[in-house]
Amino acid sequence: MREGFSPRYDLDRTTGVISRIGHSAEGESVIDRILVIPTVKGGVAGGWAFLDMLHKGIAPKALVFGRLNPVMVQGAVLAGMAITEGWSSDALTLIGTGDRIRIDPAARTISVVAVHRQPMLQRVR
């Protein structure tokens, strides 16, 4: 994603698809994907939405944020979802939609395992 993400305001929580018009990932599914996001949006309700997504079977595999807040960490931990913050290089230029990546939160590394780039509907360059 090129901008912040809120599971409450940017996502259709019945389908798991980014539904906010104009979002850089508009029309993309989050189901079973590792989301790479520069920052969070929203507050308490956004964090608790992760548990709702898990119970509906539409949760992502993991969340990689450039910057996040304690509420999102709390929500991800409650849902049993992997979450990490920060990267030393610009992950958004190194990782494309559909690429297979590996994250190592302890080492704070993100590795591209396989390139399978898919064009995003609203990609901003």
Side-chain angles (χ1 to χ4, degrees):
M1 297 179 190
R2 301 287 174 215
E3 70 268 34
F5 171 72
S6 166
R8 183 170 180 207
Y9 299 114
D10 297 325
L11 186 71
D12 179 330
R13 288 197 334 258
T14 59
T15 64
V17 172
I18 302 291
S19 57
R20 187 172 58 80
I21 296 171
H23 193 282
S24 64
E26 179 185 351
E28 295 284 339
S29 173
V30 302
I31 300 170
D32 291 329
R33 297 175 93 177
I34 298 174
L35 307 183
V36 179
I37 310 160
T39 189
V40 298
K41 291 190 317 191
V44 175
W48 290 96
F50 293 134
L51 184 61
D52 179 51
M53 294 167 66
L54 177 71
H55 287 292
K56 291 178 179 174
I58 60 169
K61 284 186 179 188
L63 304 162
V64 177
F65 283 98
R67 298 183 74 121
L68 56 85
N69 63 28
V71 171
M72 291 298 175
V73 173
Q74 179 185 22
V77 169
L78 179 67
M81 191 180 302
I83 187 169
T84 186
E85 174 187 37
W87 46 72
S88 58
S89 60
D90 186 1
L92 297 176
T93 62
L94 301 174
I95 301 168
T97 299
D99 288 355
R100 292 189 172 273
I101 66 172
R102 178 175 294 122
I103 58 173
D104 183 343
R108 296 184 71 168
T109 60
I110 304 169
S111 305
V112 176
V113 177
V115 176
H116 296 288
R117 304 243 162 117
Q118 301 168 0
M120 290 179 62
L121 296 177
Q122 300 286 326
R123 179 168 278 175
V124 177
R125 297 208 183 252

